[in-house]
Amino acid sequence: MDLDTSLEELTWIPRPRILALRRLALETVGDLLRHYPRRHEDRREFREFPREETISPVCLCGEVAKTRLMRFGGRKIFEAVLEESGAHALSQPLTCRWFNLHYIQKMIATGQQLVVFGRVKRKGPRLLIDHPEFEVIEDDEEILIHFRRITPIYPATEGLSQRVLRGLIFRLLEQVPVASADVPLPASLSNGEDENALRKIHFPQDSEQLRKVRDHLVLGEFFRMQMQIAAARAENSARVGCRHQSRGLLAEQFIAALPFAFTSAQQRVFSEVKHDLQVASPMNRLLQGDVGSGKTVVAIAAMLLAVESGSQAALMAPTQILAEQHYAVLRNWLDPLGIRIALRTGARQEDNAPLPLFARGREIPGSARVSRVGDGVTRSRTFSQTDEGRGERYSHRRLPHFEKPWAIYAVTIGTKKRRCLSPKARAIALDALRYFHTKRYELFAACVIPDHVHFLIQPWPKENDDAGNVVFWSLKELLHSIKSYSAHAINKAERERGVVWEKERFDRYIRSEPDLIEKFNYILRNPWDSGVARQNEDYPWVWAQEDDRRKERPFPRDAETSTRDARATRKDDDSAPHIIVGTHALLYEGVNFTNLGLAVIDEQHKFGVAQRAKLTSREPAPDVLVMTATPIPRTLTMTIYGDLEISTIDEMPRGRGEIITHLLTGDQLGEAIAFLREQLSDGRQAYIIYPLIDESEKLEAKAAAKEFEIWQERLRPFRCELLHGRVASPDKQSIMQRFRVGETKALISTTVIEVGVDIPNATVMLIENPERFGLSQLHQLRGRVGRGAHTSHCWLVSSDKSTETITKLSVLENTTNGFEIAEADWELRGPGDLLGTAQSGLPELKLGDLRRDAALMRKARQAALELLENDPGLDRPENQRFRDLIVERQGQTFSHVS
């Protein structure tokens, strides 16, 4: 038995256990042994029961003295009272409670010995732990696996208790001959804990050994990640790019015409970008800066350098409103320079007409023009930020219990009663899959076997919901469309009736680039691997995107030669746009780039891996500048963004008004209302933001629709208007235009105004229930004010007095620096909410924590850089063992910017 042995081959593991392990994506011996504990409990000696509340969770052991089940209304509460061993007169029992978990009472009985883990709180004379983690200690032959030692606690699932999982891993470790870590480390990183590292991480002898072996395994994960990042950088540098050689006259004219001078930070960043554009290897640079720091003007100047050299530039934004903002701003500044600009979104394609929302030639109180070239306009909330699950695999015949924006799914649909599809029916099924490609989803690969279909898809955005968030096509809708579209045609072609397809099966939820490549290759090889087609026999019902590209380019040539020939024969098309602005429609909506030289991607984290690659993977490789208004914590610049050069605008332009933030409780709202009326009387304008459109019985939060009427009375006679995601688009444009020209004084809104609104005359931002927003989103909302010369005020009105809320909101009260706020957000929320690692293409971290282990990440990064600098090809005998750590990316559709 070795680490690659399938668990199904081990006859001593019951079948139900195998199925439960699959839910945790554990299929081999190695998978199970690398299912690391999420924490350890020191069960060698337990502390006495506490006599007061505890700040952090504690691990305690006691005997169940009594249990009872109570009912309060519709709720059931099960209580178990524990007494510690050796109880004395001063000892106080501990009560553990579970609410509405009826099955707990079947697991706990009087007289049992129980280990519990949780935070102790006091309620009257009693000490309580609500919903503790617990384990019943059974006095049997396996007691020493679970007790009297440092005991591992694992991520578990239904049907797989801690005791069972711990016993399986203990037995495997007894049988497997080698339990060393699978990532080799250079001598500079090794701490001598490689031998039997897997045994030690599960069942360490003491705390010091646990610390050392964890550091060793974390360094292995980080070193693998840093080697792949270094390989990605090397791969990008090796691609054939374009030298953008020009005198820079257009950029100089643009900068000279600005009503403000570049800050020293903008000038520094522009010089870095200009240098990258002039070298042969493609630029791959991240431009980060706070709200209003002037990123967009730097990007415009860079695009003008590319245009002057004879190339096209593209600017891709995540939402239509932000794309339209950029389009209007670019026309405002670049029309006098004779630059042709086009807008390409799913709903609008035009080259010269002014947009209703940004009509030119209208005077705006407090501002002569769009004073900052649209810079600082924050991103829209296109989708919720949620934790990436660890190792999700979808079980057969079940829809995923959640769906993520830009997620990629491997799907299998079998025919009903194993009906055999004729060659003509197989062609129809393949055509049906391709029909919705680039319309509702992206199809990466597909194969149609006589009795089933395999395919790999990524659902696309469908529409905006009531709150203005982007809604993606659901898998249920997409699969219904595919099956109904093909079934009708197949029955008609074969002159049959009845159901064609059975319920779909989900092979997996694609978590990383290696996972994507593995499934991609599996689908393309399936007809031959399954025996449907003989080796070397043509099988026409297999498709990948490269098939269409080959049809478009039947005689591919060397990229450098093709570029040279194209430049030699290219004629200047007077109608072709120099700069194309758009959303993800730039990727597919018939947009033909004649000579794309620079791709600027705004709010790049809103796009999936494949979306960015679509724009940037063409040959010759365009230069890429990705921008974000959400500053990135320093640790992430070494990891998720490690393959990009980083430019930071860390200086705000002069002339921006100060923003003062006030934190108030609900009963202090009157103070804010009085100040708001003063500001409106002085000719200023205000935003009043709510988390909901309508009231909800489930959420304790105010709603914009109901509060709007109250604000009309509070602010009479000043005009107020209501704006949210359910307002019809023409009405929304009219409301915004009235607010823009100053007819409306106060806008009661949801977060729909988070992006695309730049009104220098607005000086007050009042946010109710701010605890319902993240720190970064609150900072972006606050960035709607302070865009003119006047001092602005942001009022955060919350009745939540919890320590967590006060700590979070105090960060905003004490600083307007986006970099400090990003670091605070990182500390408060941790990496799970901020990364989106499934979109990064990097290996998943099973043990390492980017925040906790930042020092180890720096060591791994330094070791990887030194290794590849001294031996780029890993040719030395002692370094060849590291070659397996690098994932080959060449020629893959899935390679990405970051």
Coordinates of all heavy atoms in Angstrom, one line a residue, residues 44-117:
R44 N -3.9 15.1 27.4 CA -3.0 14.4 28.4 C -3.5 14.8 29.8 O -3.4 14.0 30.7 CB -1.6 14.8 28.1 CG -1.0 14.3 26.8 CD 0.3 14.9 26.5 NE 0.3 16.3 26.4 CZ 1.4 17.0 26.1 NH1 2.6 16.4 25.9 NH2 1.3 18.4 26.0
E45 N -3.8 16.0 30.0 CA -4.3 16.5 31.4 C -5.2 17.7 31.2 O -4.8 18.6 30.5 CB -3.1 16.8 32.2 CG -3.4 17.2 33.6 CD -2.2 17.4 34.5 OE1 -1.1 17.1 34.1 OE2 -2.4 17.9 35.6
F46 N -6.4 17.6 31.7 CA -7.4 18.6 31.5 C -7.3 19.6 32.7 O -7.1 19.3 33.8 CB -8.8 18.0 31.4 CG -9.0 17.2 30.2 CD1 -8.8 15.9 30.2 CD2 -9.4 17.9 29.0 CE1 -9.0 15.1 29.0 CE2 -9.6 17.1 27.9 CZ -9.4 15.8 27.9
R47 N -7.6 20.9 32.3 CA -7.7 21.9 33.3 C -9.0 21.8 34.2 O -9.9 21.1 33.7 CB -7.6 23.3 32.7 CG -8.7 23.5 31.6 CD -8.7 24.9 31.0 NE -9.1 25.9 31.9 CZ -9.1 27.2 31.6 NH1 -8.7 27.6 30.4 NH2 -9.5 28.1 32.5
E48 N -9.0 22.4 35.3 CA -10.2 22.5 36.1 C -11.3 23.3 35.4 O -11.0 24.1 34.6 CB -9.9 23.1 37.5 CG -9.0 22.2 38.4 CD -8.9 22.9 39.8 OE1 -9.3 24.0 39.9 OE2 -8.3 22.2 40.7
F49 N -12.5 23.0 35.8 CA -13.6 23.8 35.2 C -13.5 25.2 35.6 O -13.1 25.5 36.8 CB -15.0 23.2 35.7 CG -15.5 22.0 35.0 CD1 -14.6 21.3 34.2 CD2 -16.8 21.6 35.2 CE1 -15.1 20.1 33.6 CE2 -17.3 20.4 34.6 CZ -16.4 19.7 33.8
P50 N -13.7 26.1 34.7 CA -13.5 27.6 35.0 C -14.6 28.0 36.0 O -15.7 27.4 36.0 CB -13.6 28.3 33.7 CG -14.4 27.3 32.8 CD -14.0 25.9 33.3
R51 N -14.4 29.1 36.7 CA -15.4 29.6 37.6 C -16.0 30.9 37.1 O -17.0 31.4 37.6 CB -14.8 29.9 39.0 CG -14.2 28.6 39.6 CD -13.6 28.9 40.9 NE -12.9 27.7 41.5 CZ -12.2 27.6 42.6 NH1 -12.0 28.7 43.3 NH2 -11.7 26.5 43.0
E52 N -15.5 31.4 36.0 CA -16.0 32.6 35.3 C -16.0 32.4 33.8 O -15.5 31.4 33.3 CB -15.2 33.8 35.7 CG -15.3 34.2 37.1 CD -16.7 34.6 37.6 OE1 -17.5 35.0 36.7 OE2 -17.0 34.5 38.8
E53 N -16.5 33.4 33.1 CA -16.5 33.3 31.6 C -15.1 33.2 31.1 O -14.2 33.7 31.7 CB -17.2 34.5 31.0 CG -18.7 34.6 31.3 CD -19.4 35.7 30.6 OE1 -18.7 36.5 30.0 OE2 -20.7 35.7 30.6
T54 N -15.0 32.6 29.9 CA -13.7 32.6 29.2 C -13.8 33.4 27.9 O -14.8 33.4 27.3 CB -13.3 31.2 28.9 OG1 -14.2 30.6 28.0 CG2 -13.2 30.3 30.1
I55 N -12.7 34.1 27.6 CA -12.6 34.9 26.4 C -12.5 34.0 25.1 O -13.2 34.2 24.1 CB -11.5 35.9 26.4 CG1 -11.6 36.8 27.6 CG2 -11.3 36.6 25.1 CD1 -10.5 37.8 27.8
S56 N -11.7 33.0 25.2 CA -11.5 32.1 24.1 C -12.0 30.7 24.4 O -12.2 30.3 25.6 CB -10.0 32.0 23.7 OG -9.3 31.6 24.8
P57 N -12.2 29.8 23.4 CA -12.7 28.4 23.7 C -11.8 27.6 24.5 O -10.5 27.8 24.4 CB -12.9 27.8 22.3 CG -13.0 29.0 21.4 CD -12.1 30.1 22.0
V58 N -12.3 26.7 25.3 CA -11.4 25.9 26.2 C -11.9 24.4 26.0 O -13.0 24.1 25.6 CB -11.6 26.2 27.7 CG1 -11.0 27.6 28.0 CG2 -13.0 26.2 28.1
C59 N -10.9 23.5 26.3 CA -11.2 22.1 26.1 C -11.3 21.5 27.6 O -10.4 21.6 28.4 CB -10.1 21.4 25.4 SG -10.3 19.6 25.1
L60 N -12.4 20.9 27.9 CA -12.7 20.4 29.2 C -13.2 18.9 29.1 O -13.7 18.5 28.1 CB -13.7 21.3 29.9 CG -13.4 22.8 30.0 CD1 -14.6 23.5 30.5 CD2 -12.2 23.0 31.0
C61 N -13.0 18.2 30.2 CA -13.5 16.8 30.3 C -14.3 16.6 31.6 O -13.9 17.1 32.7 CB -12.3 15.9 30.2 SG -12.8 14.1 30.2
G62 N -15.4 16.0 31.5 CA -16.2 15.7 32.7 C -17.2 14.6 32.5 O -17.3 14.1 31.3
E63 N -17.9 14.2 33.5 CA -18.9 13.1 33.5 C -20.3 13.7 33.4 O -20.6 14.7 34.1 CB -18.7 12.2 34.7 CG -19.7 11.0 34.7 CD -19.4 10.1 35.9 OE1 -18.3 9.9 36.2 OE2 -20.5 9.7 36.4
V64 N -21.1 13.2 32.6 CA -22.5 13.6 32.5 C -23.3 13.3 33.7 O -23.5 12.1 34.0 CB -23.2 13.1 31.2 CG1 -24.6 13.6 31.1 CG2 -22.4 13.4 30.0
A65 N -23.6 14.3 34.5 CA -24.4 14.0 35.8 C -25.9 13.9 35.5 O -26.5 13.1 36.2 CB -24.1 15.1 36.8
K66 N -26.4 14.7 34.6 CA -27.8 14.6 34.3 C -28.1 15.3 33.0 O -27.3 16.1 32.5 CB -28.7 15.3 35.4 CG -28.4 16.7 35.6 CD -29.3 17.3 36.7 CE -29.1 18.8 36.9 NZ -30.0 19.3 38.0
T67 N -29.2 14.9 32.3 CA -29.6 15.5 31.1 C -31.1 15.8 31.2 O -31.8 15.3 32.0 CB -29.4 14.5 29.9 OG1 -30.2 13.4 30.1 CG2 -27.9 14.1 29.8
R68 N -31.5 16.8 30.3 CA -33.0 17.1 30.3 C -33.3 17.8 29.0 O -32.4 18.4 28.4 CB -33.4 18.0 31.4 CG -32.8 19.4 31.5 CD -33.4 20.2 32.6 NE -32.8 21.5 32.6 CZ -33.3 22.6 33.3 NH1 -34.5 22.4 34.0 NH2 -32.7 23.7 33.4
L69 N -34.5 17.6 28.5 CA -35.0 18.2 27.3 C -36.1 19.2 27.6 O -37.1 18.8 28.3 CB -35.5 17.2 26.3 CG -36.1 17.7 25.0 CD1 -35.0 18.3 24.1 CD2 -36.8 16.6 24.2
M70 N -36.0 20.4 27.3 CA -37.0 21.5 27.6 C -37.6 22.0 26.3 O -36.9 22.0 25.3 CB -36.3 22.6 28.4 CG -35.7 22.2 29.7 SD -34.9 23.5 30.6 CE -33.6 23.9 29.4
R71 N -38.8 22.5 26.4 CA -39.5 23.1 25.3 C -39.9 24.5 25.6 O -40.5 24.7 26.7 CB -40.7 22.3 24.9 CG -40.4 20.9 24.2 CD -41.6 20.1 23.9 NE -41.3 18.9 23.1 CZ -40.9 17.8 23.6 NH1 -40.7 17.7 24.9 NH2 -40.6 16.8 22.8
F72 N -39.6 25.5 24.8 CA -40.0 26.8 24.9 C -40.7 27.3 23.6 O -40.0 27.5 22.6 CB -38.9 27.8 25.3 CG -38.3 27.5 26.6 CD1 -37.2 26.7 26.8 CD2 -38.8 28.1 27.7 CE1 -36.6 26.5 28.0 CE2 -38.3 27.9 29.0 CZ -37.2 27.1 29.2
G73 N -42.0 27.3 23.6 CA -42.7 27.7 22.3 C -42.4 26.6 21.3 O -42.6 25.4 21.5
G74 N -41.8 27.0 20.2 CA -41.5 26.0 19.2 C -40.1 25.5 19.3 O -39.6 24.8 18.4
R75 N -39.3 26.0 20.3 CA -37.9 25.6 20.4 C -37.7 24.4 21.4 O -38.4 24.4 22.4 CB -37.0 26.7 20.8 CG -36.9 27.8 19.8 CD -35.7 28.7 20.0 NE -35.6 29.2 21.4 CZ -34.6 29.9 21.9 NH1 -33.5 30.0 21.1 NH2 -34.6 30.4 23.1
K76 N -36.8 23.6 21.1 CA -36.4 22.5 22.0 C -34.9 22.7 22.4 O -34.1 23.0 21.6 CB -36.5 21.1 21.3 CG -37.9 20.7 21.0 CD -37.9 19.3 20.3 CE -39.3 18.9 19.9 NZ -39.3 17.6 19.3
I77 N -34.7 22.6 23.7 CA -33.3 22.8 24.2 C -32.9 21.6 25.0 O -33.6 21.1 25.9 CB -33.3 24.0 25.2 CG1 -33.7 25.3 24.5 CG2 -31.8 24.2 25.7 CD1 -33.8 26.5 25.4
F78 N -31.8 21.0 24.6 CA -31.3 19.8 25.3 C -30.1 20.2 26.1 O -29.2 20.9 25.6 CB -30.9 18.7 24.3 CG -30.2 17.5 25.0 CD1 -31.0 16.6 25.7 CD2 -28.9 17.3 24.8 CE1 -30.4 15.6 26.3 CE2 -28.3 16.2 25.5 CZ -29.0 15.3 26.2
E79 N -30.1 19.9 27.4 CA -29.0 20.3 28.3 C -28.4 19.0 28.9 O -29.0 18.0 29.2 CB -29.5 21.1 29.5 CG -30.0 22.5 29.1 CD -30.3 23.4 30.3 OE1 -30.4 22.8 31.4 OE2 -30.5 24.6 30.1
A80 N -27.0 19.1 29.0 CA -26.2 18.0 29.7 C -25.4 18.7 30.7 O -24.6 19.6 30.4 CB -25.4 17.3 28.7
V81 N -25.5 18.3 32.0 CA -24.7 18.9 33.1 C -23.5 18.0 33.3 O -23.6 16.8 33.6 CB -25.6 19.1 34.3 CG1 -24.7 19.6 35.5 CG2 -26.8 19.9 34.1
L82 N -22.3 18.6 33.2 CA -21.1 17.9 33.4 C -20.5 18.3 34.8 O -20.5 19.4 35.2 CB -20.0 18.3 32.3 CG -20.4 18.1 30.9 CD1 -19.2 18.4 30.0 CD2 -20.9 16.7 30.6
E83 N -19.9 17.3 35.4 CA -19.1 17.5 36.6 C -17.7 17.0 36.4 O -17.5 15.9 35.8 CB -19.8 16.7 37.8 CG -21.1 17.3 38.3 CD -21.6 16.6 39.5 OE1 -21.1 15.6 39.9 OE2 -22.6 17.1 40.0
E84 N -16.7 17.8 36.9 CA -15.3 17.4 36.7 C -14.9 16.3 37.6 O -15.5 16.1 38.7 CB -14.4 18.6 36.8 CG -14.5 19.2 38.2 CD -13.7 20.5 38.2 OE1 -12.6 20.5 37.6 OE2 -14.1 21.5 38.9
S85 N -13.9 15.5 37.2 CA -13.5 14.4 38.1 C -12.8 15.0 39.3 O -12.1 16.1 39.2 CB -12.5 13.5 37.3 OG -11.4 14.3 36.8
G86 N -12.9 14.4 40.4 CA -12.3 14.9 41.6 C -13.0 16.2 42.1 O -12.3 17.1 42.6
A87 N -14.3 16.3 41.9 CA -15.1 17.5 42.3 C -15.0 17.7 43.8 O -14.9 16.8 44.6 CB -16.5 17.4 41.8
H88 N -14.9 19.0 44.2 CA -14.9 19.3 45.6 C -15.9 20.4 45.9 O -16.7 20.8 45.0 CB -13.5 19.8 46.0 CG -12.9 20.9 45.0 ND1 -13.3 22.2 45.1 CD2 -12.0 20.7 44.0 CE1 -12.6 22.9 44.1 NE2 -11.9 22.0 43.4
A89 N -15.9 20.9 47.1 CA -16.9 21.9 47.5 C -17.0 23.1 46.7 O -18.1 23.7 46.5 CB -16.7 22.2 49.0
L90 N -15.9 23.6 46.2 CA -15.9 24.8 45.4 C -16.1 24.6 43.9 O -16.2 25.5 43.1 CB -14.5 25.5 45.5 CG -14.2 26.0 47.0 CD1 -12.8 26.7 47.0 CD2 -15.3 27.0 47.4
S91 N -16.2 23.3 43.5 CA -16.4 23.0 42.1 C -17.8 23.4 41.7 O -18.7 23.3 42.4 CB -16.2 21.5 41.8 OG -14.9 21.1 42.1
Q92 N -17.9 23.9 40.4 CA -19.2 24.3 39.9 C -19.4 23.5 38.6 O -18.6 23.4 37.7 CB -19.2 25.8 39.5 CG -20.6 26.3 39.1 CD -20.6 27.8 39.0 OE1 -19.6 28.5 39.3 NE2 -21.7 28.3 38.5
P93 N -20.6 22.9 38.5 CA -20.9 22.1 37.3 C -21.0 23.0 36.1 O -21.2 24.2 36.1 CB -22.2 21.4 37.6 CG -22.9 22.3 38.6 CD -21.7 22.9 39.4
L94 N -20.8 22.3 34.9 CA -20.9 23.1 33.6 C -22.1 22.5 32.8 O -22.2 21.3 32.6 CB -19.6 22.8 32.8 CG -19.4 23.5 31.5 CD1 -19.3 25.0 31.7 CD2 -18.2 23.0 30.8
T95 N -22.9 23.4 32.3 CA -24.1 23.0 31.5 C -23.8 23.3 30.1 O -23.5 24.4 29.6 CB -25.3 23.8 32.0 OG1 -25.5 23.6 33.4 CG2 -26.5 23.4 31.2
C96 N -24.0 22.2 29.3 CA -23.8 22.3 27.8 C -25.2 22.3 27.2 O -26.1 21.5 27.6 CB -23.0 21.2 27.3 SG -21.3 21.1 27.9
R97 N -25.5 23.2 26.3 CA -26.8 23.3 25.7 C -26.8 23.3 24.2 O -25.9 23.8 23.5 CB -27.5 24.7 26.1 CG -27.6 24.9 27.6 CD -28.4 26.2 27.9 NE -28.0 27.4 27.2 CZ -28.5 28.6 27.4 NH1 -29.6 28.7 28.2 NH2 -28.1 29.6 26.8
W98 N -27.8 22.6 23.6 CA -28.0 22.5 22.2 C -29.4 22.9 21.8 O -30.4 22.4 22.5 CB -27.7 21.1 21.6 CG -26.3 20.7 21.7 CD1 -25.3 20.9 20.8 CD2 -25.6 20.1 22.9 NE1 -24.1 20.4 21.3 CE2 -24.3 19.9 22.5 CE3 -26.1 19.7 24.1 CZ2 -23.3 19.3 23.4 CZ3 -25.2 19.1 25.0 CH2 -23.8 18.9 24.6
F99 N -29.6 23.8 20.9 CA -31.0 24.3 20.5 C -31.4 23.6 19.2 O -30.7 23.6 18.2 CB -31.0 25.8 20.3 CG -30.6 26.6 21.5 CD1 -29.3 26.8 21.9 CD2 -31.6 27.1 22.4 CE1 -28.9 27.5 23.0 CE2 -31.3 27.8 23.5 CZ -29.9 28.0 23.8
N100 N -32.6 23.0 19.3 CA -33.3 22.4 18.1 C -32.4 21.4 17.4 O -32.5 21.3 16.2 CB -33.7 23.5 17.2 CG -34.8 24.4 17.7 OD1 -35.7 24.0 18.4 ND2 -34.7 25.7 17.4
L101 N -31.6 20.7 18.2 CA -30.8 19.6 17.6 C -31.2 18.3 18.3 O -30.6 17.8 19.3 CB -29.3 19.9 17.8 CG -28.8 21.1 17.0 CD1 -27.3 21.3 17.4 CD2 -28.9 20.9 15.5
H102 N -32.3 17.7 17.9 CA -33.0 16.6 18.6 C -32.1 15.4 18.7 O -32.2 14.6 19.6 CB -34.3 16.3 18.0 CG -34.2 15.9 16.6 ND1 -34.1 16.8 15.5 CD2 -34.1 14.7 16.0 CE1 -34.0 16.2 14.4 NE2 -34.0 14.9 14.6
Y103 N -31.2 15.2 17.7 CA -30.4 14.0 17.6 C -29.3 14.0 18.7 O -28.8 12.9 19.0 CB -29.8 13.9 16.2 CG -28.8 15.0 15.8 CD1 -27.5 14.9 16.2 CD2 -29.3 16.1 15.1 CE1 -26.6 15.9 15.9 CE2 -28.4 17.1 14.8 CZ -27.1 17.0 15.2 OH -26.2 18.0 14.8
I104 N -29.0 15.2 19.3 CA -28.0 15.2 20.3 C -28.4 14.3 21.5 O -27.5 13.6 22.1 CB -27.7 16.6 20.7 CG1 -27.1 17.5 19.6 CG2 -26.7 16.7 21.9 CD1 -25.8 17.1 19.1
Q105 N -29.6 14.4 21.9 CA -30.1 13.7 23.1 C -30.0 12.2 22.9 O -29.9 11.4 23.9 CB -31.5 14.0 23.4 CG -32.6 13.5 22.4 CD -34.0 14.0 22.7 OE1 -34.4 15.1 22.2 NE2 -34.7 13.3 23.6
K106 N -29.9 11.7 21.7 CA -29.7 10.3 21.4 C -28.2 9.9 21.5 O -27.9 8.7 21.6 CB -30.2 9.9 20.0 CG -31.7 10.2 19.8 CD -32.1 9.8 18.4 CE -33.5 10.1 18.1 NZ -33.9 9.9 16.7
M107 N -27.3 10.9 21.6 CA -25.9 10.6 21.6 C -25.3 10.7 23.0 O -24.2 10.2 23.3 CB -25.2 11.6 20.6 CG -25.7 11.5 19.2 SD -25.0 12.8 18.2 CE -23.3 12.4 18.1
I108 N -26.0 11.5 23.9 CA -25.4 11.7 25.2 C -26.3 11.1 26.3 O -27.5 11.3 26.2 CB -25.3 13.3 25.4 CG1 -24.3 13.9 24.4 CG2 -24.8 13.6 26.8 CD1 -24.1 15.4 24.5
A109 N -25.7 10.4 27.2 CA -26.4 9.8 28.3 C -25.7 10.0 29.6 O -24.5 10.2 29.7 CB -26.6 8.3 28.0
T110 N -26.5 9.9 30.7 CA -25.9 10.1 32.0 C -24.8 9.0 32.3 O -25.0 7.8 31.9 CB -27.0 9.9 33.1 OG1 -28.0 10.9 32.8 CG2 -26.5 10.1 34.5
G111 N -23.7 9.4 32.9 CA -22.6 8.5 33.2 C -21.5 8.5 32.2 O -20.4 7.9 32.5
Q112 N -21.8 9.0 31.0 CA -20.7 9.1 30.0 C -19.6 10.1 30.3 O -19.9 11.1 31.0 CB -21.3 9.4 28.6 CG -22.2 8.3 28.0 CD -22.8 8.8 26.7 OE1 -23.0 10.0 26.5 NE2 -23.0 7.8 25.8
Q113 N -18.4 9.8 29.8 CA -17.3 10.8 29.9 C -17.3 11.6 28.6 O -17.2 11.0 27.6 CB -16.0 10.1 30.2 CG -14.9 11.0 30.6 CD -13.6 10.2 31.0 OE1 -13.5 9.1 30.7 NE2 -12.8 10.9 31.8
L114 N -17.3 12.9 28.8 CA -17.5 13.8 27.6 C -16.3 14.8 27.6 O -15.9 15.4 28.6 CB -18.8 14.5 27.7 CG -19.6 14.7 26.5 CD1 -20.1 13.4 25.9 CD2 -20.9 15.6 26.8
V115 N -15.7 14.9 26.4 CA -14.8 16.0 26.1 C -15.5 17.1 25.3 O -16.1 16.8 24.3 CB -13.5 15.5 25.4 CG1 -12.6 16.7 25.0 CG2 -12.8 14.5 26.2
V116 N -15.5 18.3 25.8 CA -16.2 19.4 25.2 C -15.3 20.5 24.9 O -14.2 20.7 25.6 CB -17.4 19.9 26.0 CG1 -18.4 18.8 26.2 CG2 -16.9 20.5 27.3
F117 N -15.6 21.3 23.8 CA -14.7 22.4 23.4 C -15.7 23.6 23.0 O -16.6 23.5 22.2 CB -13.9 22.0 22.2 CG -13.0 23.1 21.7 CD1 -11.8 23.4 22.3 CD2 -13.4 23.9 20.6 CE1 -11.0 24.4 21.8 CE2 -12.6 24.9 20.1 CZ -11.3 25.2 20.7

